[in-house]
Amino acid sequence: MNISTGRPVGASPIDRSVHGIGYRPDIDGLRSVAVLSVVIFHAFPTVLPGGFIGVDIFFVISGFLISTILLENLNHGRFNLLDFYGRRARRIFPALAIVLAATATFGWFALLPEEYKELGKHIAGGAGFVSNLVLWQESGYFDSASETKPLLHLWSLGIEEQFYIVWPAVLWAVFRFRLPKLPIILLFAALSFIANVASVHAHPVATFYSPLTRIWELLIGAALAQILIDGRSKRPSFVGVIANRMSASSLTAVAGAILIGVALACLSAASTFPGWRALFPSVGAALLILSASGNWINTKLLANRPMVWIGLISFPLYLWHWPLLAFTRIIEGETPSLETRAAAVVAGFALATGTYQLIEKNIRRKWTSRAITMTLTYIVCFVGMVGYSIYLYNGAPMREGVAMDAKIHEQLEGTTWKYTSNDICKAKYPPNFRYFCTQTREGSPTMILLGDSYANALVAGLVANPATKDEIILSYGSCDPSASAGDPEIRTQCETQDKIISETPSLRYAILEAKWPRFDSAGRLIDYFTKIAANDAAWAPRYRDGLDKRISFLESKGIKVFLFGPKPEIDYEPKYCFARPFTQPAKNCQMTEVEALDKQHELSLVLKDVLDKHPNVTFFDANSVFCKDAVCSLKTQDGLPMLRDKVHYSQYGSAIAIDLFVKQAQSEGYFRGH
């Protein structure tokens, strides 16, 4: 994010001005409010739950300052696009290159291959100013936790730089064809805001990351720049006159401060955002910028020396603080202690100060040649290519610190793996599946896996087991075995599964496995780990009836049904149960059998009712894969992970589970002919 445009108090008059505006220390103070809000929110979210709106304040400031420069240059006929981008490069590239290089270096020593691979992709995205698009593309079911992405915060920098690429050309065209400036700016802002409000509920991730639904915040700043330029002209328009009066009134700053205060106090990570709620910080920031720098709030609160100083280091502080917090979260395997987070924030301030004093100030004041600009550009491009190479080489698994544990790391694949989908399945079946469409080889399926990603996780073991490897196995869609989901997309997949079953007489076996629901004693659906009920409705009877109906349908087609019961699960990644550089295992991947059975108790009653109605169904107790002598371990005796993430079998775990399953099935007379 380009939030370091502020000039030092001691600079020369030329350096201290944004052309006609002059240096305003209160804008640096407003940057301080923005960056402190974000840092506090990331480090201590319960202290300032609405602190994420600091990014929206930055957007308005950037839109204002950049548009002021562009408009003033165009007004005076001295606009030079190369000069504009050169200034942007000298402002942004030094700190960005240092932070990207530092994260790549630290990640080499501290991260596991899958983590380092993802970091490499984000380094490339950050260097190319497309982080928002990369994060948008990878968000969803398969996404890793946001707090373990050291460069997650660069999404906002991507939006700003994408704005900077387009906006100068738009303003140039406005001047070239003598179009009305303020109406054009307001038109673009209105279209972006409408798109934002219209899509925030249906497509929240896209709305958050898309430049098209966020640029209205920068355009608020752009509109303000044009209004203030108009107000300073010899013959200001009506809007310019109103702006001058509002600027002189102390109530303008008060209103702006109140809007930002309300956003900080009332919004939280659970709020639908941006949407219309983003108006609070955006309009609040605009009002504080509109307010004359001599007004009390601007002078006493924003323009005091500590606030100005933090504003001056705000860009490197923004860049440094999140990687420090994310790396501590990764290494410790959980939310770091209060002391650790505080230390990370202090380190962020120290690194930001060093970056500003030693690098940024020198480049800003002394090293301003075109050669310096080109050198900085080459450095950022090189760092980006290094990041992309890390991604292409799968996180450099040959590194000395992780190569010795290669057998462990190759099992920790995350949710996405090679069995998610393949061309055989996609060519043969309807495209309305979600995520999973795999058929193990050509031909008509003899076995179908019904469920979601949990069912898909069994493919690895089935294709490896001598007794089942010759079956033609189909894993299609994400339909819960009970087919009781209300989601239209899920319902469509369930209907497609049933259609496939009805039209495939070769099917002999069906395995039912899923992220089985968890119920309380009242039959309400509850969260797996918090035990909080989603609502007061008794879901268990509906689920039981749906599962009963699905099994009846399968048996009516002459298909043998195997039902995999729930397994022990953890609320952390299994990679934290293994040593990594700098630390010993943070978790042990164990629980007592009593604890595991207690979490499954109400579901077990539902499954028992269904099995009583279908005595020909074979039930496989997945707890037997993990539990022995009253202890359930998610690691094998030789120390390999049974899970590849919090809940899904690893390839190794899938093979062990299927081996036990096959032995049980063979004892009942199945799979003996192989």
Side-chain angles (χ1 to χ4, degrees):
M1 177 175 304
N2 182 15
I3 58 179
S4 64
T5 314
R7 278 85 177 165
V9 175
S12 66
I14 294 177
D15 288 336
R16 291 175 59 184
S17 66
V18 182
H19 300 289
I21 289 180
Y23 173 66
R24 285 185 53 180
D26 58 308
I27 293 182
D28 273 328
L30 185 57
R31 274 200 200 88
S32 176
V33 172
V35 76
L36 288 175
S37 298
V38 173
V39 171
I40 293 172
F41 170 71
H42 284 157
F44 318 106
T46 58
V47 174
L48 200 64
F52 57 87
I53 58 95
V55 172
D56 305 271
I57 298 173
F58 284 136
F59 282 162
V60 175
I61 295 173
S62 277
F64 170 73
L65 292 173
I66 295 304
S67 297
T68 298
I69 293 172
L70 293 171
L71 289 166
E72 290 280 10
N73 280 331
L74 287 164
N75 278 328
H76 291 88
R78 59 192 181 202
F79 176 68
N80 185 308
L81 192 61
L82 289 178
D83 179 65
F84 171 79
Y85 286 128
R87 289 176 179 271
R88 293 302 93 212
R90 291 193 296 274
R91 184 75 67 202
I92 296 167
F93 286 1
L96 178 64
I98 292 170
V99 171
L100 292 179
T103 56
T105 302
F106 187 81
W108 176 274
F109 297 103
L111 298 184
L112 304 180
E114 192 69 21
E115 298 167 339
Y116 200 43
K117 177 182 178 180
E118 182 179 75
L119 178 64
K121 179 172 64 172
H122 293 167
I123 289 172
F129 302 106
V130 291
S131 285
N132 58 317
L133 305 181
V134 171
L135 292 164
W136 178 6
Q137 181 272 331
E138 69 184 20
S139 65
Y141 188 88
F142 300 123
D143 199 11
S144 58
S146 60
E147 63 267 23
T148 62
K149 296 181 177 183
L151 297 176
L152 175 77
H153 61 323
L154 296 187
W155 71 269
S156 55
L157 181 60
I159 285 177
E160 285 199 5
E161 297 312 308
Q162 290 152 25
F163 174 76
Y164 295 157
I165 290 172
V166 175
W167 191 232
V170 172
L171 287 182
W172 177 86
V174 168
F175 273 79
R176 174 69 176 79
F177 297 103
R178 298 182 180 181
L179 301 174
K181 293 182 280 295
L182 185 60
I184 293 293
I185 295 172
L186 292 177
L187 173 63
F188 283 123
L191 292 174
S192 174
F193 180 74
I194 291 170
N196 152 55
V197 173
S199 61
V200 70
H201 291 285
H203 307 285
V205 174
T207 306
F208 189 88
Y209 287 126
S210 173
L212 299 179
T213 52
R214 298 305 291 258
I215 59 168
W216 64 270
E217 298 175 85
L218 291 114
L219 290 172
I220 284 178
L224 181 60
Q226 173 57 32
I227 289 169
L228 289 181
I229 290 172
D230 178 15
R232 292 196 310 274
S233 66
K234 293 181 179 179
R235 293 183 179 180
S237 67
F238 174 75
V239 174
V241 171
I242 296 299
N244 288 338
R245 291 181 179 178
M246 291 181 65
S247 178
S249 172
S250 60
L251 293 178
T252 302
V254 172
I258 289 174
L259 287 174
I260 290 176
V262 168
L264 290 172
C266 298
L267 297 180
S268 71
S271 303
T272 301
F273 199 85
W276 63 267
R277 293 174 178 82
L279 284 169
F280 283 93
S282 301
V283 174
L287 289 174
L288 284 169
I289 296 171
L290 175 61
S291 179
S293 58
N295 284 336
W296 186 86
I297 288 180
N298 299 68
T299 302
K300 301 299 182 182
L301 296 183
L302 296 179
N304 66 70
R305 285 188 173 275
M307 294 291 283
V308 170
W309 173 251
I310 295 173
L312 292 173
I313 67 168
S314 57
F315 182 50
L317 176 58
Y318 181 82
L319 292 182
W320 278 116
H321 86 282
W322 181 249
L324 293 169
L325 290 168
F327 276 125
T328 56
R329 171 68 174 81
I330 291 170
I331 291 172
E332 294 195 7
E334 58 188 359
T335 301
S337 67
L338 183 65
E339 294 78 11
T340 300
R341 283 176 280 151
V345 170
V346 171
F349 270 91
L351 289 167
T353 300
T355 303
Y356 174 74
Q357 290 281 38
L358 301 177
I359 306 297
E360 285 192 353
K361 286 177 66 175
N362 284 314
I363 289 178
R364 185 178 303 172
R365 295 181 179 181
K366 303 176 184 177
W367 307 331
T368 59
S369 68
R370 181 166 295 181
I372 291 295
T373 303
M374 293 305 299
T375 300
L376 290 171
T377 303
Y378 290 143
I379 291 173
V380 170
C381 290
F382 175 75
V383 174
M385 288 189 291
V386 169
Y388 193 62
S389 298
I390 293 169
Y391 173 73
L392 289 179
Y393 285 95
N394 296 313
M398 78 297 295
R399 287 172 289 145
E400 183 179 353
V402 297
M404 64 182 67
D405 296 323
K407 287 186 177 181
I408 294 173
H409 301 145
E410 68 185 13
Q411 297 295 321
L412 301 173
E413 299 176 84
T415 309
T416 306
W417 64 348
K418 63 183 179 182
Y419 301 106
T420 301
S421 63
N422 64 13
D423 292 336
I424 297 174
C425 181
K426 289 188 287 187
K428 189 172 183 179
Y429 300 105
N432 56 14
F433 62 89
R434 185 173 70 166
Y435 309 128
F436 306 108
C437 186
T438 291
Q439 184 168 305
T440 54
R441 55 192 178 87
E442 295 284 0
S444 187
T446 59
M447 176 184 291
I448 188 167
L449 301 177
L450 300 178
D452 47 26
S453 57
Y454 284 50
N456 181 259
L458 300 176
V459 176
L462 289 167
V463 299
N465 194 284
T468 55
K469 66 181 180 66
D470 292 331
E471 301 289 342
I472 302 177
I473 302 163
L474 173 64
S475 172
Y476 179 94
S478 303
C479 175
D480 186 284
S482 76
S484 62
D487 187 317
E489 182 183 8
I490 301 297
R491 192 182 310 118
T492 299
Q493 293 181 87
C494 296
E495 292 169 353
T496 304
Q497 283 184 353
D498 288 347
K499 187 172 185 292
I500 291 171
I501 292 167
S502 297
E503 296 176 353
T504 311
S506 58
L507 282 172
R508 299 193 302 268
Y509 307 115
I511 294 180
L512 275 57
E513 162 72 303
K515 182 180 181 180
W516 297 107
R518 189 158 290 168
F519 304 111
D520 63 12
S521 57
R524 298 179 301 176
L525 189 66
I526 62 174
D527 182 86
Y528 259 49
F529 302 104
T530 66
K531 298 184 179 181
I532 297 175
N535 53 58
D536 290 332
W539 189 268
R542 177 180 175 181
Y543 195 85
R544 178 195 60 216
D545 294 343
L547 189 57
D548 174 28
K549 181 178 178 182
R550 200 82 190 285
I551 292 175
S552 295
F553 166 72
L554 292 168
E555 292 185 330
S556 72
K557 302 296 181 182
I559 296 173
K560 167 63 181 178
V561 177
F562 300 99
L563 193 153
F564 273 58
K567 63 181 181 295
E569 294 183 354
I570 51 178
D571 60 352
Y572 51 85
E573 295 290 340
K575 63 187 176 185
Y576 295 119
C577 302
F578 302 90
R580 65 163 72 230
F582 305 122
T583 182
Q584 292 300 307
K587 305 288 185 180
N588 62 12
C589 276
Q590 288 186 349
M591 67 183 70
T592 66
E593 189 171 9
V594 171
E595 181 183 359
L597 294 175
D598 179 62
K599 292 178 179 179
Q600 302 167 1
H601 177 68
E602 302 301 330
L603 171 65
S604 297
L605 297 178
V606 171
L607 296 181
K608 183 178 184 301
D609 286 346
V610 173
L611 293 169
D612 286 344
K613 293 182 179 180
H614 299 277
N616 292 326
V617 171
T618 295
F619 177 77
F620 176 70
D621 182 7
N623 290 326
S624 64
V625 180
F626 302 91
C627 303
K628 182 180 180 181
D629 299 328
V631 175
C632 301
S633 175
L634 305 183
K635 294 197 292 186
T636 65
Q637 291 183 344
D638 51 355
L640 294 178
M642 292 285 288
L643 303 181
R644 69 179 191 269
D645 55 22
K646 295 179 182 180
V647 293
H648 299 94
Y649 287 110
S650 63
Q651 291 196 48
Y652 193 79
S654 179
I656 293 175
I658 292 300
D659 183 61
L660 291 177
F661 158 71
V662 164
K663 289 177 180 177
Q664 178 181 338
Q666 286 178 331
S667 70
E668 298 178 11
Y670 301 99
F671 307 126
R672 285 183 172 179
H674 299 278

